[in-house]
Amino acid sequence: MPMRKITRRGLIRASFSTSTVLLGGCAVRMMPAMSPGSMQDGSTVGHLDQAHPGRGPSSSFVPDVDIALRATQAEVPLISGKPTLVWRYEGQLLKGESNAVTMLDDTSVGPIIRVRTGQKVRVRFTNSLPEPDALSVIHWHGLHLPEDMDGHPRSAIAPGSTYVYEFEVRDRAGTYWFHPHPHGDTARQVMRGLAGLFIVSDDEERALGLPAGEFDVPLVVQDRTFDSANQLLYLGMGMMSGPMNQMMGFLGDRITVNGKPKSAMVFANRPYRLRVLNGSNSRIFKLAWSDATPLTVIATDGGLLEKPLQRSYVMLAPGERIELFADFTNRNIGDALQLVSLAFEGTENVPVPAAMMSRMNGMSQMDMRGDALPIGSAFDILNATFSPTKSSSAPYQLPPALGVLPRPTPSAATNAAQPRRFEIDHRSMTWRFNGKQWEGDVSAANEQVKINTSEVWEFINNLNLGEAMDPMGMAHPIHIHGLHFQILERALLIPELQLAYNTVRDGFVDSGLKDTFLLMPGERVRVLLSFKDFTGKFVYHCHNLEHEDQGLMRNYQVT
Ligand code: C2O
Ligand code: CU
Ligand code: CU
């Protein structure tokens, strides 16, 4: 009998199989339809009895922009050969300037909604998803809105229903986006294609004369897995990769830009504005140009920076946006340049430092996912080529001053000396904030804030030493609804993680306004937030969408 060579990973897999059963059982408990048998697409987690009845238009609201938006199923040619069955938003402009809604051709991503600060926007959202229990709701990621306009999971409507969003755009110019937010099914609905851009402009931005029109290019970067018939696969088929993707976050094996794999674009010899959104469920990017040209960053989640800054790379976690100024004036025909993601470490499967080994249960130091494209691997995102035939304009100098950031000083916070603390951990197959997971509309005593105050919040990403799952912690993209905040400081609390941390640390752009930030294992991040205009419950959560669906989401309440 031939001896089978047992690899380290093989051993670990064998020893992990009991936990897999446990994981399956746990998934059944947390999310009924996510049992191993229905791990593939087709599972739904909606509860029709919990559907919001919907909302009609208000006669007193006079919109500047009025849009009908349907979430529906469509077949689109993403790859040569068979079209791919996707879910997507289809928008139709009922009132407003013609560029207010742009559908992108042949893809799931979109539409792009373009509005100006101060405009009144009505979006008549109809859930036309093909599964009777696929509840959905639209969240306007990054916008400062009243609670009933924000897309809280409680406002999810059943197929056939309509929810009319009506709000005034109060935010600065910037790259915002929208996506589904029904608790327990957000990850799957986004993976199937539901995501669009909400681009706001204002006078401050227009005065800069930044590249506009066709020279202002949105790049929604995601990862997907396609089967041999060009259809989207979710979570993976394997004993390991399915449950692991469910627990840790979905990783696809192909990178898509605006919904399409193998992205190539032809640019003119001139400056561009690139708006990059990480719309992935869990993949983190370390963006750079392939020829080591520094990235020129002009904006973050909450709009323009005070001044442009140069970085050799930028980290972009799910939900985050970054805007780049890219001057291709001196590029030649035949030049090839890639927007890439560089290799990095430390966001999960952190190499265990010897000093910590004794505190582990021995199951940590490997990639338990078995993914084709592991987190932190290097790959190309976009292949750029250059054409002089595209019209070029007069030379443009990026202004040295970009925007005035509306922000309080830390001393304005009511709790500057004692930040409100949020600790993240993972116990008994559950992700938690301060020991608690999602409890629907509940917000606890330590989640109450006062309107017209500013506070410092600190998020601490604890390791889970001794736990079977995720003993070394993993990075969590933390997102807070309803406002933008400033990042005050980052501190790595566990010195043993420094080496891995060094592979990402120069990529955080913390000088702009943010609504989402990456919190590394063992890291503490302090942010300064102001609660204005609207009372009510707003969620904060991990924007790793599988973590969010598993309950790493809570409400804070403004009173
Ligand atoms: Cu983009 Cu609550 O999320
Ligand atoms: Cu959001
Ligand atoms: Cu997370």
Side-chain angles (χ1 to χ4, degrees):
M1 202 174 102
M3 288 280 287
R4 205 169 132 246
K5 193 174 162 225
I6 297 179
T7 61
R8 177 174 163 73
R9 177 178 290 191
L11 260 179
I12 285 151
R13 285 188 179 212
S15 75
F16 194 70
S17 57
T18 47
S19 305
T20 307
V21 174
L22 174 66
L23 177 58
C26 177
V28 171
R29 181 174 57 79
M30 290 189 300
M31 295 161 37
M34 291 306 231
S35 63
S38 61
M39 231 14 133
Q40 284 304 300
D41 258 14
S43 63
T44 55
V45 294
H47 303 283
L48 281 176
D49 55 330
Q50 290 169 10
H52 190 284
R55 182 186 183 277
S58 143
S59 54
S60 59
F61 184 89
V62 184
D64 302 301
V65 180
D66 196 342
I67 296 166
L69 195 67
R70 284 189 330 135
T72 187
Q73 180 166 272
E75 283 200 320
V76 292
L78 295 181
I79 314 181
S80 65
K82 253 186 134 247
T84 304
L85 196 63
V86 299
W87 291 0
R88 65 170 180 174
Y89 293 116
E90 293 180 355
Q92 196 197 343
L93 185 64
L94 306 176
K95 178 184 176 190
E97 288 150 48
S98 61
N99 76 342
V101 180
T102 311
M103 288 289 291
L104 303 177
D105 291 335
D106 297 337
T107 187
S108 56
V109 169
I112 301 173
I113 296 177
R114 287 190 181 84
V115 300
R116 292 193 303 274
T117 304
Q119 282 189 315
K120 291 197 165 138
V121 179
R122 173 185 282 156
V123 179
R124 306 158 189 255
F125 168 57
T126 301
N127 180 348
S128 301
L129 294 175
E131 296 169 6
D133 49 359
L135 307 192
S136 204
V137 57
I138 295 184
H139 168 54
W140 310 95
H141 181 129
L143 294 186
H144 177 52
L145 300 176
E147 61 170 351
D148 57 341
M149 294 298 140
D150 183 60
H152 191 280
R154 81 169 89 81
S155 308
I157 55 172
S161 299
T162 295
Y163 194 106
V164 180
Y165 295 90
E166 292 171 327
F167 54 81
E168 180 186 334
V169 178
R170 297 174 176 234
D171 290 276
R172 310 169 74 210
T175 306
Y176 306 94
W177 66 301
F178 58 97
H179 60 78
H181 220 295
H183 179 59
D185 203 24
T186 295
R188 188 182 67 114
Q189 292 190 13
V190 172
M191 189 283 311
R192 299 217 62 169
L194 293 169
L197 288 170
F198 194 93
I199 293 179
V200 177
S201 65
D202 64 13
D203 294 341
E204 179 187 54
E205 176 202 49
R206 263 192 307 279
L208 300 174
L210 290 166
E214 64 175 305
F215 309 114
D216 175 353
V217 179
L219 302 172
V220 179
V221 187
Q222 297 169 305
D223 56 345
R224 294 289 180 264
T225 299
F226 295 90
D227 69 11
S228 55
N230 290 353
Q231 301 310 304
L232 293 166
L233 276 181
Y234 187 43
L235 296 180
M237 308 286 286
M239 268 291 278
M240 292 298 294
S241 62
M244 287 305 292
N245 273 296
Q246 171 64 42
M247 180 59 73
M248 308 290 273
F250 168 75
L251 290 176
D253 58 14
R254 300 185 75 169
I255 303 304
T256 59
V257 174
N258 299 337
K260 294 184 170 251
K262 273 209 197 152
S263 277
M265 273 183 203
V266 182
F267 292 92
N269 297 107
R270 54 158 290 137
Y272 278 80
R273 176 182 192 170
L274 306 178
R275 301 173 187 259
V276 190
L277 158 68
N278 183 346
S280 307
N281 284 25
S282 88
R283 186 175 293 281
I284 297 160
F285 300 106
K286 180 176 176 176
L287 299 177
W289 292 117
S290 54
D291 66 351
T293 303
L295 299 166
T296 302
V297 182
I298 57 171
T300 52
D301 304 339
L304 292 167
L305 300 174
E306 283 167 331
K307 49 183 194 292
L309 55 90
Q310 306 243 306
R311 288 295 172 86
S312 56
Y313 66 88
V314 165
M315 299 304 296
L316 200 68
E320 287 186 302
R321 290 85 69 207
I322 201 91
E323 294 189 31
L324 304 174
F325 177 80
D327 191 352
F328 298 138
T329 304
N330 297 317
R331 300 278 170 182
N332 301 313
I333 326 175
D335 282 0
L337 177 69
Q338 285 84 36
L339 182 64
V340 301
S341 187
L342 302 173
F344 60 87
E345 286 173 47
T347 62
E348 65 179 83
N349 299 314
V350 184
V352 184
M356 299 181 78
M357 209 42 180
S358 60
R359 289 187 274 159
M360 310 284 305
N361 65 6
M363 283 189 46
S364 63
Q365 199 172 0
M366 68 294 157
D367 175 11
M368 291 191 291
R369 298 183 183 234
D371 297 299
L373 192 62
I375 190 87
S377 34
F379 46 79
D380 291 353
I381 294 171
L382 176 74
N383 195 14
T385 52
F386 304 94
S387 161
T389 58
K390 280 189 136 186
S391 71
S392 115
S393 63
Y396 174 79
Q397 285 297 330
L398 186 61
L402 297 173
V404 178
L405 267 54
R407 51 184 184 186
T409 55
S411 59
T414 56
N415 64 344
Q418 219 180 356
R420 192 182 288 273
R421 178 175 291 183
F422 299 89
E423 294 194 55
I424 296 170
D425 67 10
H426 188 253
R427 290 290 179 279
S428 309
M429 321 311 283
T430 310
W431 297 108
R432 316 183 307 178
F433 280 114
N434 290 333
K436 293 192 165 100
Q437 56 172 332
W438 177 246
E439 299 176 280
D441 236 2
V442 172
S443 79
N446 62 349
E447 295 169 318
Q448 309 299 316
V449 302
K450 287 277 172 235
I451 194 159
N452 297 322
T453 65
S454 299
E455 290 195 10
V456 180
W457 287 10
E458 66 178 19
F459 289 85
I460 298 177
N461 189 351
N462 288 318
L463 307 192
N464 301 295
L465 298 172
E467 288 288 298
M469 291 289 298
D470 194 37
M472 290 303 286
M474 63 185 290
H476 299 281
I478 302 299
H479 173 46
I480 305 170
H481 278 213
L483 45 75
H484 286 100
F485 48 79
Q486 297 174 62
I487 304 220
L488 297 178
E489 64 163 70
R490 288 174 178 270
L492 188 63
L493 305 179
I494 300 177
E496 288 98 326
L497 302 181
Q498 189 69 49
L499 276 182
Y501 188 76
N502 288 348
T503 69
V504 303
R505 63 179 296 171
D506 295 334
F508 300 124
V509 182
D510 290 341
S511 56
L513 294 181
K514 299 287 292 168
D515 55 52
T516 310
F517 64 94
L518 189 63
L519 180 66
M520 292 290 287
E523 193 178 28
R524 182 189 69 207
V525 175
R526 290 194 172 140
V527 303
L528 175 61
L529 330 83
S530 299
F531 310 100
K532 285 187 294 221
D533 306 316
F534 309 121
T535 56
K537 283 181 187 145
F538 299 88
V539 299
Y540 63 97
H541 60 87
C542 178
H543 219 287
N544 175 318
L545 298 181
E546 281 73 23
H547 294 186
E548 174 186 339
D549 277 347
Q550 286 169 71
L552 193 49
M553 173 160 71
R554 300 276 310 169
N555 296 286
Y556 71 94
Q557 181 165 22
V558 186
T559 57

